Structure formats: structure tokens, C-alpha cells
Amino acid sequence: MNDIQPFSIAVEDADLDDLRDRLARTRWSDESPADGRERGIRAAELRELADAWRSDYDWRAHEERLNRIPQFVTEIDGQRVHFLHARCDREDAPALLLTHGFPSSNVEFARLVDLLTDPSNGPAFHVVAPSLPGYGFSTPLSGAGWSMGRIADAWIELMRRLGYRRYGVHGGDIGAGVSGMVASRDPEHVVGIHVVTDPMTAASAATFIPGMADSLDASDPIDQLILERMAAFRNDASGYLAIQNTRPQTIGYGLTDSPTFLLAWIVEKLQEWTDVDLDPELILTLVSVAWFGRAGASAAHTLYDQAHSSEWGGPVTVPQSFTVFGADETVRRVMRSPEDARWVEFGNGQHFPAMELPEVLAEDVQAFFGPLR
């Protein structure tokens, strides 16, 4: 089935009423006995966001804004895939495939799509931004086995259906892994790969991706810092991953039934993995899409699938670019790259640069892919 159908977000009024009712009936826990966020998002912070979500946040306005971006759905390998597909005015512009990570969706790229499709803003592209299977409106999940390799094959098929013979790929977090696999599996069509990361993401990835930490030497100060960050991730910050990698169905009941739980689950990571304050309206839009898409449980299942997969990518032969946000000297030690790879470092921003610093990211993407046209 090669059918591609136009899609518009149209949440039922009854679903909006249900969301507000559930938020109003939240049974709140006591505040954490700790002063900071080391035990999770603080109750006062979460209450403020939940109250805004219930009373002040205008979903219809954001729904309308999102629907200004052309959206479509198709079925690939039995899975419903929702994607943004915004074409620029220049017919001969190159195509660019954007892939997000956890705990996000293609909503993350809304501002970036505007910037990258506008010829007055620099080199412009036809942008394709799918939500990963089980995320956003790429739901429900069709079944087990949606590891990064299978997603990469689906993305290659999506670009074929759209008629793009040459395209670039960009991603961070899971999206970086998927993009790398797309580039390694489809080098005759991929012109280059642009990856974003940050020091903590690189260190945490080194804890579970085979081979990344093999050459680290504890006697070297930089390597020691990486090892300390890896230990900190394992000991204090990996609980979300451990439970989703092992019992996604169990955690999924809460993520699907309680909007307050879903809000806490996502916002904790937005707080922990950014150093630029995000607009609360953007945060609530991101969480709303996960709520209305019933994506809490299904996103957890795809993390389980990757944790139980032996696929971590193959050799990439196309031009590569790595952009580090919140950069320090550690990332190059764990992210091995060819000598001719492009490296760019920015002092701020972290895990979500498309939401934290969209203008900076857009310029960097244009700088890399512009000469590859």
C-alpha cells in the first residue's frame, strides 16, 4: 500500500473536556522531601503547568498553527506514519528528512520547518518530518519490533514514495541513530547526515551502545569526566529508561490514563535536558500531542524494542556533520567520526536544539547541506 493521505489534527471537543476533567481530578502527591529536582519534578512546578494546561492553555489555537504545516499519513510495514511535509517555493530545492528522539514528536520541528522552507532565510529545503512509530500521531503501534533499523527502512520507503531521489538526513537522540542507519542503508540517495548531540547525551549513550566507551582511559582527565557522567547517568538519571526498556506495558497504563503523569514524565526530561528556558505553551503543545495521540505507552514500547535489538548501525560513507550543543571537550572522545567529518560546537543549548535554539540550528543545517545541493 503506497497511499498517502492528507491529515489535519482535529481533536474532538469531548476529548478536550475529558482532559480538563482528568486534570481537575488529579490526586496530588506530597512535595518531595528534597529541596531540588534530584528526586524528580517538584510538585509546585508541575501543579502550575497542570493548572495552565487545564485553564489557560488554548489547544485550538495551537492546533490551528500546527495545521498550517502540510501533514499526511501513510502506512508502511503495517504501521501508520504521520509526517509533516512542507515544500519550499523552489521546485529544485533538495529534500531534508528530520527525525526526533525521546520523549518528543515531530511537533519539535515546527519552528525549524518554517525556517528551512523559507528561501529568504538562506538555502531552503523540502522538509519531511515524521513522528517515530508510537510517538505523536504515528499511533497506534502496529506491533513489536520497531527498532531503529526497522524505522530506518520505513523512512527510506517514505522518501521513495514521496519521489525524492536525493535527500539529506538530520536527527538527535534516537533520531541520530535512525538517521545514521538511513545513511548507511541508502547511500545512493542520501547526500549527507547531520547529527546533533550534547555532552550528557553522548555520555549516556556510551553506557548502552556497544563499543562507544571501549577506549576510555580512567587516568586521562577528560576520559575520567566521561566515566563520571556515565556513572551519574546509570546511578541517578536512567530510571526512566530502565523501566521502559524492561516493563513498558506496566508504565504505559499510567502514561495513557493520567495526563498529570504524562506531563510529569515528559517535563522532567525537558527540564533536565535543556539549558534554555522553553516556552510553557510549546511544552504543553508537545505534551498535548502525546496525550491526544495516546503515545505514552507506545513510545515506551519502541524503547524496549531497541534495547532488545542487536542493531546499532553500519558504516556511513556519505558526508557527515556533528553539531554539539553545550559543548565541551568530551564528546569527540566517545562519538567516533571520520577525519573529514564536519564538527561544530555551541556553548549553550542541549538535547532539544530545534526547540531551544531553532534559528541557530537552522543556520547550521543550511551551512552543511547548502554546498551539497
Side-chain angles (χ1 to χ4, degrees), residues 21-353:
D21 179 61
R22 288 171 184 264
L23 289 166
R25 292 186 294 107
T26 298
R27 185 181 183 190
W28 289 95
S29 67
D30 294 332
E31 184 59 273
S32 167
D35 291 332
R37 293 172 174 170
E38 64 270 23
R39 301 190 186 201
I41 183 172
R42 294 190 59 99
E45 295 174 313
L46 190 62
R47 273 181 182 270
E48 183 177 355
L49 273 172
D51 287 345
W53 199 11
R54 178 175 61 86
S55 302
D56 302 325
Y57 174 74
D58 185 353
W59 162 255
R60 291 300 183 202
H62 292 281
E63 182 182 70
E64 191 274 332
R65 289 190 189 99
L66 289 174
N67 281 333
R68 293 175 195 168
I69 304 174
Q71 301 172 53
F72 302 85
V73 291
T74 191
E75 183 179 304
I76 303 176
D77 193 11
Q79 173 63 45
R80 168 190 163 102
V81 174
H82 168 257
F83 61 98
L84 312 178
H85 184 199
R87 293 178 61 85
C88 76
D89 292 338
R90 287 186 48 188
E91 193 62 32
D92 63 344
L96 184 59
L97 174 64
L98 311 178
T99 307
H100 65 88
F102 175 84
S104 190
S105 67
N106 55 18
V107 172
E108 173 181 333
F109 295 126
R111 174 59 180 149
L112 195 63
V113 168
D114 289 341
L115 294 168
L116 292 177
T117 55
D118 182 0
S120 69
N121 192 53
F125 306 85
H126 304 306
V127 177
V128 179
S131 277
L132 294 165
Y135 290 71
F137 293 113
S138 290
T139 53
L141 200 62
S142 62
W146 280 101
S147 62
M148 292 192 297
R150 187 177 176 189
I151 296 169
D153 289 339
W155 278 195
I156 293 167
E157 170 62 15
L158 175 61
M159 297 306 279
R160 184 198 68 77
R161 289 185 190 180
L162 293 173
Y164 291 121
R165 300 292 299 168
R166 300 287 284 167
Y167 60 96
V169 291
H170 159 87
D173 188 63
I174 299 168
V178 171
S179 296
M181 289 190 178
V182 170
S184 68
R185 296 176 182 211
D186 196 25
E188 63 270 32
H189 298 122
V190 174
V191 299
I193 174 173
H194 183 276
V195 170
V196 293
T197 190
D198 60 90
M200 184 51 71
T201 298
S204 61
T207 66
F208 55 84
I209 297 180
M212 281 189 73
D214 288 351
S215 63
L216 296 179
D217 179 359
S219 66
D220 180 279
I222 296 176
D223 287 0
Q224 177 61 32
L225 178 56
I226 299 170
L227 291 167
E228 289 172 358
R229 287 176 177 166
M230 291 171 61
F233 176 76
R234 285 192 301 268
N235 296 335
D236 298 317
S238 62
Y240 78 98
L241 196 58
I243 193 168
Q244 291 179 117
N245 283 354
T246 56
R247 296 294 184 271
Q249 186 65 19
T250 302
I251 194 74
Y253 297 118
L255 293 170
T256 305
D257 183 65
S258 170
T260 304
F261 187 13
L262 181 68
L263 181 66
W265 195 250
I266 293 177
V267 171
E268 179 196 284
K269 297 310 165 197
L270 296 179
Q271 288 180 340
E272 191 173 350
W273 296 344
T274 59
D275 71 355
V276 175
D277 289 337
L278 298 180
D279 180 356
E281 297 270 310
L282 174 58
I283 293 172
L284 293 176
T285 301
L286 190 74
V287 180
S288 293
V289 167
W291 176 256
F292 294 127
R294 299 172 64 91
S298 51
H301 279 287
T302 60
L303 292 176
Y304 178 98
D305 287 333
Q306 185 55 44
H308 291 80
S309 170
S310 59
E311 288 185 300
W312 291 99
V316 175
T317 57
V318 302
Q320 300 178 57
S321 178
F322 297 87
T323 301
V324 185
F325 288 86
D328 63 18
E329 65 272 38
T330 63
V331 178
R332 290 202 192 198
R333 294 289 182 95
V334 289
M335 292 192 67
R336 307 299 174 189
S337 65
E339 289 186 4
D340 60 349
R342 174 181 179 267
W343 276 87
V344 177
E345 298 181 346
F346 295 101
N348 60 337
Q350 285 190 36
H351 192 73
F352 301 98

